[in-house]
Amino acid sequence: ACVLVEAGANDAGELPWLLQLAHDHAHIRGVVGYIDLSSDVGGVLAHVEQAQRPWLKGVRKGCLDPAEDWGSYATGLHVLTREGLTCDLLIGQGLLPKVYEIASSHPDLTFILDHFAGARLTPDSAQHWKEALAPVAALPNTVMKVSGYLTAADPQPLTPEILWPYMEANLELFGTRRLMYGSDWPVCTRAGSLAESVNLLKSITGSLSPNEQAELWSSTAIYTYQLAAQ
């Protein structure tokens, strides 16, 4: 089974299309869609067809501009909290302090940090990234999505030796209870196949217990996106 995540086109028409796909195909258990958080989020949700609404699990927001006015999203984030939805964050480097500010201001809303929270995976930056990430990880309403790592490698291709220090930091800061695998398909194919992405992560997490494996690959996503309740 899978969860569909918005494609980043900021296209309002994408959400009903993804929800209809989920409605029609049993292997699609949820949708993380696009809604402009500075808009009338409650009004947008009110227009989602009742038959499709159970598949909407969250909204993804890219915060790629350090100068972005997050104050304009406060009302929308409160609506997500009220509606029991999550907020995925597609962020770039250097924005972890902003993420901390937002996540700590909305403690009842779960924030999922996509793609290793925007890290560039280099041979010598894992410790610095870990130190910057630690305050965000200390917030109980944050979850790390283990995704986007193939294309984040510098240099390419990504090796287990480069990926492991970042994954080790994730395991220490979040624990598998707050780590979820994300395929980043089809974007991952810019740097390798989906099978290569899966096998690389499996190769460095093979020592995890069966319960930890289950959390990383499925249980955290099921719990965070409330997939089992559908």
Side-chain angles (χ1 to χ4, degrees):
C2 68
V3 174
L4 299 182
V5 180
E6 65 94 21
N10 296 344
D11 182 353
E14 184 188 65
L15 178 58
W17 177 61
L18 293 180
L19 290 172
Q20 188 61 47
L21 289 175
H23 178 274
D24 294 344
H25 300 280
H27 71 283
I28 303 174
R29 301 294 175 83
V31 170
V32 177
Y34 169 75
I35 299 176
D36 181 356
L37 292 176
S38 65
S39 68
D40 178 10
V41 175
V44 174
L45 293 175
H47 283 88
V48 172
E49 292 187 20
Q50 186 174 0
Q52 297 179 343
R53 180 61 177 81
W55 282 270
L56 182 60
K57 305 301 181 179
V59 170
R60 180 161 78 161
K61 172 69 184 78
C63 52
L64 304 178
D65 183 357
E68 196 167 3
D69 177 19
W70 274 88
S72 64
Y73 304 126
T75 299
L77 292 172
H78 282 301
V79 172
L80 297 187
T81 306
R82 184 189 71 205
E83 295 294 324
L85 299 173
T86 62
C87 184
D88 271 54
L89 295 177
L90 181 63
I91 67 175
Q93 294 189 87
L95 287 174
L96 287 170
K98 176 61 71 174
V99 172
Y100 178 86
E101 177 185 335
I102 298 304
S104 60
S105 298
H106 299 271
D108 296 323
L109 177 60
T110 298
F111 291 88
I112 296 94
L113 314 178
D114 291 355
H115 305 340
F116 275 74
R120 297 302 301 172
L121 306 185
T122 66
D124 56 0
S125 298
Q127 183 60 34
H128 176 73
W129 175 76
K130 178 182 177 181
E131 292 170 359
L133 179 63
V136 176
L139 299 172
N141 60 322
T142 58
V143 173
M144 175 65 75
K145 187 172 285 186
V146 180
S147 60
Y149 42 89
L150 286 189
T151 55
D154 184 13
Q156 296 278 353
L158 182 60
T159 64
E161 293 75 21
I162 293 177
L163 180 57
W164 170 244
Y166 293 89
M167 191 62 198
E168 185 178 35
N170 273 331
L171 289 166
E172 180 179 332
L173 294 175
F174 291 93
T176 52
R177 186 66 181 79
R178 290 193 292 139
L179 292 178
M180 72 165 78
Y181 166 73
S183 71
D184 195 34
W185 184 88
V187 179
C188 71
T189 59
R190 294 175 178 174
S193 68
L194 177 59
E196 288 171 331
S197 173
V198 170
N199 291 335
L200 176 59
L201 186 57
K202 283 184 175 180
S203 74
I204 65 168
T205 58
S207 63
L208 296 179
S209 71
N211 183 65
E212 290 170 327
Q213 295 273 1
E215 287 178 331
L216 172 63
W217 293 101
S218 61
S219 300
T220 298
I222 290 169
Y223 174 81
T224 301
Y225 291 132
Q226 303 180 62
L227 305 181
Q230 182 173 289

